[in-house]
Each structure stands twice: as structure tokens, then as C-alpha cells.
Amino acid sequence: MARPISASHEVRRDEILDVAAACFARQSYPATRMNDIAAACGASKARLYHYYESKEAILFDLLDRYTQKLLVIIGQVQATAHRQALDERATLHELIRAFLREYETSATRHAALLGSTQYLGDAQREVILNRERDVVAAVTRFLRRAYPDRVSARNQTAIAMTLFGMINWTFTWLRPGGPMSYAEFADEVIAMLEHGLTPTA
């Protein structure tokens, strides 16, 4: 019988994923070596191999956990909306805020999702791409329910991708402590959905 994995083992794996994501963001996935990740962790390469058998295994675990977390956020927002009796538009707005709260602390993981999925093997890449499709499908449903007179089968993909285009690349320009916070940006995105660039009263 295999020994159960200890809680400390999982904590250490989380720490390795944080460091690896930062390395991938700083110097790209192809340019990052296991030696680089080990050095950034303050460990030997042999010690790193105790937790992960390869760089690709690190990338897959990183993206696997992160995409699962995005789906959990969607479920949590749905539960909150039900509990608080939010209408469909308020539910979508809460989802936008929840995503951006996550993006604020997961910039390097999000960068890996958008820029490094292509380096996975076929089977692992399909797992991650399917999760991304699930996220897009869920957001599309939220949009159709929130704006039924505006979002239809004909334009739903374009509108969903417009929303993702607004929020998905924040890691490239929106910095904690900068002139605009993530919460303030969420309000701007919501205002854009509600009013476009028409001044509000």
C-alpha cells in the first residue's frame, strides 16, 4: 500500500508551484530549467525531483490547480447569488469582482495559463483546454442571463471574448499599489458593460 501524502508535502508542492510560476513569468517556460526552479526554492535539484519528476509535471500541476480554482470561484459565486438572492446582472458583476480578486494574487499563474499551456503534452494540454472551455461556457451563460436582450447565440462568443479581453491581461499592466486597484478596475469593467463609455449621471 502506498504511503499517504503528508500535509507538509502538499504545502511544499504549493510553494514550488509559486516559485516556478514566478520563474516562468520572468524568463519564460522554455528558458526555465529545473536548476533555476531549485535555486529559486533554495533547494537542490535532487530535492526538487522528490516533489516533481519534470518541469512539465510542474507546469501541469500549476495549471491543473489554477483552472480548478477558477471553476471553484464560479461555483462559489453561484452559491452566493442563490444565498443572497442576487439578480442575474448582480451575479455577473460579482463574478467579475471575484475573478479580479483572484487575478490580483495569481498574476504569475495566470500568465502561465495564457502563455505556457502549449508546452504540455497532448493529453495534459487537452485537460487544461477543456477546463478553459468550461470557464468560458460558464461566463457566457452568466452574460446571457444578465443581458438577455443584448447577448444572443449569434454574438455571445464575441461578447464573452470581449469581457475576457478586458480582464485576462491585467497581469501585464495592473499592479497592486498602482494608481488603480483591482477592485476599482472591476468597477470600471462593470460600468463598461452597463453603460459603455457613456457618462453616468
Side-chain angles (χ1 to χ4, degrees):
M1 174 184 283
R3 292 192 310 176
I5 296 174
S6 69
S8 62
H9 185 91
E10 283 303 303
V11 168
R12 185 56 176 154
R13 282 167 69 96
D14 279 337
E15 293 170 351
I16 291 168
L17 295 179
D18 283 338
V19 170
C23 290
F24 299 156
R26 183 170 58 250
Q27 60 199 57
S28 82
Y29 174 80
T32 300
R33 301 168 304 157
M34 288 290 274
N35 277 337
D36 299 323
I37 299 171
C41 288
S44 67
K45 189 164 72 169
R47 184 65 177 163
L48 187 60
Y49 278 117
H50 174 71
Y51 294 94
Y52 288 102
E53 63 186 18
S54 66
K55 185 175 70 167
E56 186 175 306
I58 292 174
L59 178 63
F60 177 69
D61 197 22
L62 173 69
L63 299 184
D64 184 47
R65 294 182 189 215
Y66 185 60
T67 51
Q68 287 189 64
K69 190 169 189 179
L70 295 178
L71 291 172
V72 167
I73 287 170
I74 292 168
Q76 289 172 336
V77 168
Q78 290 174 323
T80 297
H82 178 74
R83 189 171 58 251
Q84 297 181 1
L86 299 180
D87 65 27
E88 300 292 359
R89 198 166 289 188
T91 301
L92 173 64
H93 298 170
E94 179 53 34
L95 181 64
I96 291 167
R97 292 188 178 99
F99 273 158
L100 284 167
R101 282 194 297 270
E102 177 61 31
Y103 291 0
E104 183 173 9
T105 58
S106 300
T108 55
R109 291 176 184 244
H110 199 72
L113 178 63
L114 295 181
S116 300
T117 303
Q118 68 201 67
Y119 299 110
L120 293 172
D122 291 344
Q124 292 183 333
R125 183 169 62 251
E126 194 60 24
V127 169
I128 301 305
L129 291 177
N130 281 335
R131 293 248 184 78
E132 290 186 286
R133 293 179 189 114
D134 289 342
V135 171
V136 170
V139 170
T140 302
R141 290 193 299 271
F142 277 68
L143 279 163
R144 289 196 69 167
R145 293 168 184 164
Y147 302 102
D149 297 331
R150 180 69 180 85
V151 183
S152 66
R154 183 183 64 83
N155 67 4
Q156 63 183 14
T157 299
I159 292 176
M161 291 302 103
T162 297
L163 174 56
F164 280 114
M166 284 193 284
I167 68 174
N168 267 4
W169 297 92
T170 47
F171 70 89
T172 66
W173 65 271
L174 187 57
R175 297 287 182 266
M180 176 175 285
S181 70
Y182 274 74
E184 289 170 329
F185 178 65
D187 289 340
E188 290 291 342
V189 172
I190 291 164
M192 188 81 73
L193 287 175
E194 290 286 301
H195 309 290
L197 290 176
T198 303
T200 56

